[in-house]
Amino acid sequence: MSKLEFNIVEIPEGESRRTVDLPDEALDLAPYEFKGGHIDLKFYRTLHFIRVNFHLDADVELVCDRSLEEYTQPIASDYEVLFKVDVQEETENEDGAVRRFNFSSNTLSIEEEVRDTVLLNIPIKKLHPKFIDEDGAPKEFEIKKFGDIRDESESDNIDPRWEKLKKLKN
């Protein structure tokens, strides 16, 4: 049984809280690497539904798009999952999800929601923190020039074929 799977009978009636530590192997985020974290859970159980609110603090190992260096990206996010018995169609959005609840299974799992929450909080542009300024904006990177670079104005040895093409253009 996963750390993110809970027995229904162990969840008390009304409101309750739990904290779960997530080891490195808790989530499969391929191609990214999960580096552990913890999740604060708040359950609210009635006869007809169970609401699970969670706050996730975790780290993910990423590769910088600019330098190809590995770095650790902290992830912090909140999400809510509502498990109901009489749901005809499961729904979800950026704030929460409504899932069908089957009492015969005797367990509920939020592993998929936690994994999706982590994946949705991974930035599209992965920049190492050394490339981000104190305001959170990407720093300009310097442009280096190698070798002798001719100016466009130096036209002393231009291929005559290019000259003829330029004349055709005009």
Side-chain angles (χ1 to χ4, degrees):
M1 191 159 131
S2 164
K3 286 189 173 250
L4 298 172
E5 199 169 296
F6 305 97
N7 284 327
I8 298 166
V9 293
E10 293 177 1
I11 300 171
E13 195 79 22
E15 190 172 307
S16 62
R17 295 178 183 269
R18 289 188 194 174
T19 299
V20 177
D21 290 323
L22 300 172
D24 293 357
E25 64 277 352
L27 296 174
D28 180 22
L29 300 177
Y32 309 112
E33 188 175 338
F34 185 71
K35 296 307 258 180
H38 73 278
I39 186 166
D40 296 317
L41 298 152
K42 185 169 81 173
F43 295 99
Y44 185 76
R45 180 179 172 197
T46 69
L47 292 174
H48 304 289
F49 69 87
I50 297 176
R51 184 179 64 220
V52 182
N53 291 346
F54 65 82
H55 175 77
L56 172 73
D57 288 310
D59 292 323
V60 178
E61 190 76 25
L62 300 176
V63 176
C64 176
D65 291 337
R66 188 178 283 184
S67 67
L68 299 179
E69 293 179 56
E70 289 186 352
Y71 72 99
T72 301
Q73 175 75 41
I75 303 286
S77 185
D78 296 307
Y79 201 70
E80 176 180 285
V81 184
L82 182 64
F83 293 93
K84 291 179 78 175
V85 177
D86 57 352
V87 171
Q88 300 301 322
E89 187 175 326
E90 293 185 347
T91 61
E92 60 185 292
N93 60 28
E94 63 275 356
D95 299 321
V98 177
R99 299 280 182 240
R100 191 171 298 114
F101 185 67
N102 184 359
F103 277 104
S104 64
S105 69
N106 232 7
T107 61
L108 60 90
S109 176
I110 60 167
E111 186 170 355
E112 182 179 322
E113 286 79 9
V114 171
R115 181 182 51 84
D116 291 349
T117 300
V118 172
L119 288 172
L120 287 171
N121 281 286
I122 292 175
I124 293 171
K125 280 274 198 195
K126 295 170 238 4
L127 284 178
H128 194 285
K130 70 181 183 182
F131 296 118
I132 298 175
D133 63 15
E134 56 276 347
D135 297 328
K139 292 180 185 176
E140 292 293 323
F141 58 95
E142 66 181 77
I143 299 173
K144 294 183 179 181
K145 296 179 181 179
F146 299 97
D148 293 334
I149 299 174
R150 295 189 308 144
D151 288 338
E152 296 267 334
S153 61
E154 294 178 19
S155 60
D156 50 350
N157 41 346
I158 294 179
D159 189 341
R161 293 174 289 182
W162 286 115
E163 278 299 320
K164 288 182 181 179
L165 286 172
K166 285 183 183 178
K167 287 179 186 176
L168 287 174
K169 183 179 173 184
N170 295 334

